Amino acid sequence: MFGARCLLRALRSCTSAPCPRPKPSARLSVRDALGARSTNGERVKVQGWIRSVRSQKEVLFLHINDGSSLESLQVVADSSFDSRELAFGSSVEVQGQLVKSPSKKQNVELKAEKIEIVGNCDAKDSGFVHIHTPIITSNDCEGAGELFQVEPSSKIKVPEENFFNVPAFLTVSGQLHLEVMSGAFTQVFTFGPTFRAENSQSRRHLAEFYMVEAEISFVESLQDLMQVMEGLFKTATMMVLSNCTEDVELCHKFIAPGQKDRLEHMLKNNFLIISYTEAVEILKQASQNFTFTPEWGVDLHTEHEKYLVKHCGNIPVFVINYPLALKPFYMRDNEDGPQHTVAAVDLLVPGVGELFGGSLREERYHFLEQRLARSGLTEAYQWYLDLRRFGSVPHGGFGMGFERYLQCILGIDNIKDVIPFPRFTHSCVL
Amino acid sequence: MFGARCLLRALRSCTSAPCPRPKPSARLSVRDALGARSTNGERVKVQGWIRSVRSQKEVLFLHINDGSSLESLQVVADSSFDSRELAFGSSVEVQGQLVKSPSKKQNVELKAEKIEIVGNCDAKDSGFVHIHTPIITSNDCEGAGELFQVEPSSKIKVPEENFFNVPAFLTVSGQLHLEVMSGAFTQVFTFGPTFRAENSQSRRHLAEFYMVEAEISFVESLQDLMQVMEGLFKTATMMVLSNCTEDVELCHKFIAPGQKDRLEHMLKNNFLIISYTEAVEILKQASQNFTFTPEWGVDLHTEHEKYLVKHCGNIPVFVINYPLALKPFYMRDNEDGPQHTVAAVDLLVPGVGELFGGSLREERYHFLEQRLARSGLTEAYQWYLDLRRFGSVPHGGFGMGFERYLQCILGIDNIKDVIPFPRFTHSCVL
């Protein structure tokens, strides 16, 4: 599946610890190197991450990118440089001569004289453990109620009312199951189909869609969560761009002209952060007329999300700290007031709106107990409450809609065009 | 998920073309090398596949295995040998001295003087394309009828009888969707959840389980299919053994003593092939009394499958060419008689019984048309018939139950113990 593998690879090798960064020093960015007019053998230094390695008998080709450009800089090195550490994802500092390239694929290339590895990239799956969370479940994670119910098509063989003894549904999220597993593996993720029985024909809803969901123990701030989310988006996108170049270029050329620049803009800027309260203020002061009037305590609509992204200069923006009353029982109480919020975060991106949703989870027994009691869910979620009785830790996680992610990076307007067999109201072809 | 990643990696890098093999020459097997009594620096040659590479500043450690032993031979080489071609999966011929190892982990190691790469292993995903086949479908691939039906839990918002306009079910197989995609990508696979509403509490059935399914265009014989199946089983198992050594050893030590030898036995032998007709003859001549009397034209039961594997010396055995009347409409007619069969294949393995099921598909329009008409399925499968009207090719594929695979290699008796959240009749916990 286009891009899925890159995304999983990015998440598996992702750690929530910050990566070592090269120290700032006099140097040329990849963008500047590519745009250099004089290539009379001037000596330069370029720092970045290895996007591909091709090893030939006498010579080694590297492609280096530092995020300043979608195009990478080709580095040509003597084969004596060949080493296992020069691998995809490693950060390097290359010194050498910028020369005219003999190939038609690029104007300039960097003839390496010295390559220093700044940070290794061990591709072993040491970050997140992949868990298969179940498709059929007796939970309703979101409390949303837009569930598909599952029953045997013929009840002849099972005399009881329910095949599973209890009503069973198609999962809307693997989050609660991941929370169980994060209590053993610390950092876990799942990548699989999720379902919504929403009667929607919109360009960003499907009845069956894929989500990447991650859950991380010992996370105490939204800041840490957002760092993983931004890292996942950027790393996965860089991997897709370097591994599926032709496919991406096809979309950018024929379907979404200008998307290449928009994507570059997203990658090279730090994502922004605003609070829900700030977001509502921005919307209230907007010159635009909305179908739904923005108001504190009411959910953001697609039109609001798209306005906010535009307001932020088309840079992805995290919206944090939503009203407690809008969010499910498991999100962590911020104990603020009088406008009572929870530690929730959504990432809004250009063209799509909400791409990620996440939160710190309520790990404190008594807080969670009260929230469940207020929703009348204590009995059904006793097992979940018990997780807070035995070795509870601060933790949090997020989910990202995979088809929306593809829409965002490829610039595809309709979600039904990024999945081979789309399922939505009135349609289940084949 | 334990092992899933290795399995997918094996399939992605798998090609249906036979791999280059080293020519036979005087040499020591890995088993013999490991068991060598005198290690007074004698010069030996070992051929095998690289199972791991660890590169240190001055020295390079390789682990080599040729299938003669579950344990690998450690090769110690000067770091000048370091090269990108010495990668996981590459086949090599190593010449050097067999010496006593300074480490407690092994008795002997091979001090390399010469390492020759016999066949590269390019880890790029060039073999099979990963397709996400849908979970909700309007097909019933097996024609078995043990389906779960899917409906919104509340029908208030959708006034029509069906959310999708047609009855919708949970998939029992992605095969038909893969057949569509194999017409564009030649070699495709899927790895995802599948479902059976079977009222079974057995040790090898789940209501929700994972399948690896592959479909290959331009395949004309069961022989070619079986080669891919055997290759997948062996490659994936070797990868699991080398990447998840500690987990496997835990199971083999505490849960299934003796399983290590049984697995070694499966890996080092060529899988056997018998026809369904031969299988029935073997069962009829068995001294054992079966609950179900074996008879031509009747399906094999678990007791029969287990007997056949034992009869074959506990080596996995392919059973091919099943009665046409027992199998679904899409399997290719062998046009034989009077005992009319189709080109179907099941792989039976020790402890589990059926692990893989596959077939050549009926690619001939008129044959398929008649089979569909006889089953009254012409209208429902017109789209499938149409695939035979436009650029039809001989093709075939198979599916492998992932949890049964784990049972088989780990020696776990009950399928519910190899999945984190098992679903079966009367049980859907969490």
Side-chain angles (χ1 to χ4, degrees), chain B residues 44 46 50 52-64 72-82 86 92-103 105-115:
Chain B
V44 299
V46 174
I50 297 178
S52 77
V53 182
R54 200 154 42 89
S55 165
Q56 291 189 355
K57 202 158 187 185
E58 314 240 306
V59 89
L60 184 70
F61 294 100
L62 303 175
H63 283 94
I64 308 289
S72 296
L73 176 66
Q74 173 157 299
V75 173
V76 187
D78 190 76
S79 63
S80 66
F81 281 107
D82 199 5
L86 286 182
V92 289
E93 182 174 296
V94 185
Q95 294 184 43
Q97 284 180 296
L98 211 56
V99 297
K100 197 165 159 29
S101 174
S103 158
K105 284 189 188 166
Q106 61 268 325
N107 289 323
V108 296
E109 58 187 31
L110 181 57
K111 215 164 159 300
E113 288 162 359
K114 188 179 167 192
I115 304 179

Side-chain angles (χ1 to χ4, degrees), chain A residues 1 130 146 149 151 157, chain B residues 1 130 146 149 151 157:
Chain A
M1 212 49 219
H130 188 169
E146 303 208 309
Q149 190 154 359
E151 276 169 40
K157 292 181 186 173
Chain B
M1 210 50 215
H130 187 169
E146 303 206 310
Q149 189 155 359
E151 276 170 40
K157 291 181 187 174

